[in-house]
Amino acid sequence: MQVLLFVGAAFGLLLSDIILKNYVETYMSKDEERPVRNTHILIRKVHNKGICLNGLEKYPKVVKYSSTIVTFLISVAYIFSLLRKKHYIQKTGFTFLAAGAFGNVIDRWTKGYVTDYIGFQTKHKKITAITYNLSDFFIILGTILIWLSSIFNLKRKK
C-alpha cells in the first residue's frame, strides 16, 4: 500500500508539471512574460534544447539519450528504495526525483526540447533570465532529500 502512495504521488507531481507546460505552450507566446501578482515570480515560455542553462544545446540527441539513461537509472534506484522498510525521506526524495526526471524526458521525446516557464525577478539580469519548470524543482528537492537521507543514515550506523 505504501508503494502505491509514493508512486501515486510521483504521478501526481509529474501530471502537475505536464499540465503547467501544456498551459504555457497553449496560452503564451514565446516573448511573453507575466508576473505573478505581488511576488517576484515570472511566468514565461522558454524552449530549452539542452540541459541546465542550455548546456549541450547543439547536441540534442546526446541530451535526449543521456537524460533517458539517467531517468532509467533513477527509476531502478526508486524501485529499490520503495522495497526497503522505513527510509521515508529517501523514498520521498526518489518520488520527487523520478517525477522531475520523467517530466523533462517526456518533453525531450515528444517535442525535442523542454518547456521552462518559471523565472524570478531579481536585481541581477543573468539570474532573472534563468527559467525553470516544476520538474527542475522536483529534481533539486529530490536530490536534497536523498542526500539528507544518506547523511542521517550514516549517523545512525555510527
Side-chain angles (χ1 to χ4, degrees):
M1 183 64 160
Q2 182 189 96
V3 171
L4 291 176
L5 290 173
F6 281 106
V7 173
F11 277 112
L13 293 168
L14 172 61
L15 187 59
S16 67
D17 185 52
I18 290 171
I19 289 168
L20 287 172
K21 286 175 180 173
N22 187 51
Y23 176 85
V24 168
E25 288 286 352
T26 304
Y27 296 106
M28 292 187 71
S29 61
K30 190 100 160 110
D31 298 323
E32 185 179 0
E33 186 173 89
R34 300 179 191 172
V36 175
R37 189 174 300 190
N38 298 324
T39 69
H40 292 281
I41 300 171
L42 304 168
I43 305 299
R44 59 173 82 109
K45 178 164 67 172
V46 175
H47 294 160
N48 183 350
K49 294 183 179 181
I51 55 173
C52 183
L53 301 174
N54 279 327
L56 299 175
E57 70 181 327
K58 293 181 180 176
Y59 306 98
K61 284 187 178 181
V62 170
V63 172
K64 181 165 89 171
Y65 287 102
S66 62
S67 297
T68 302
I69 291 167
V70 169
T71 300
F72 172 77
L73 295 174
I74 289 168
S75 299
V76 170
Y78 185 32
I79 290 167
F80 280 110
S81 77
L82 291 174
L83 297 175
R84 298 177 78 183
K85 293 184 179 186
K86 298 185 181 181
H87 297 276
Y88 301 112
I89 295 172
Q90 182 186 67
K91 290 175 185 180
T92 303
F94 273 113
T95 297
F96 278 98
L97 185 59
F102 272 100
N104 286 337
V105 163
I106 288 169
D107 264 8
R108 292 189 199 291
W109 281 94
T110 59
K111 298 184 258 182
Y113 56 84
V114 171
T115 301
D116 291 329
Y117 49 86
I118 301 170
F120 298 98
Q121 184 65 51
T122 71
K123 295 176 186 176
H124 310 284
K125 286 184 180 181
K126 288 185 178 181
I127 294 173
T128 299
I130 299 171
T131 310
Y132 309 88
N133 59 46
L134 275 184
S135 286
D136 297 335
F137 293 114
F138 296 159
I139 290 167
I140 293 165
L141 179 58
T143 302
I144 291 168
L145 289 172
I146 293 166
W147 178 72
L148 288 172
S149 169
S150 67
I151 288 173
F152 289 128
N153 201 26
L154 287 175
K155 286 184 178 179
R156 281 190 207 139
K157 288 183 179 180
K158 288 184 178 182

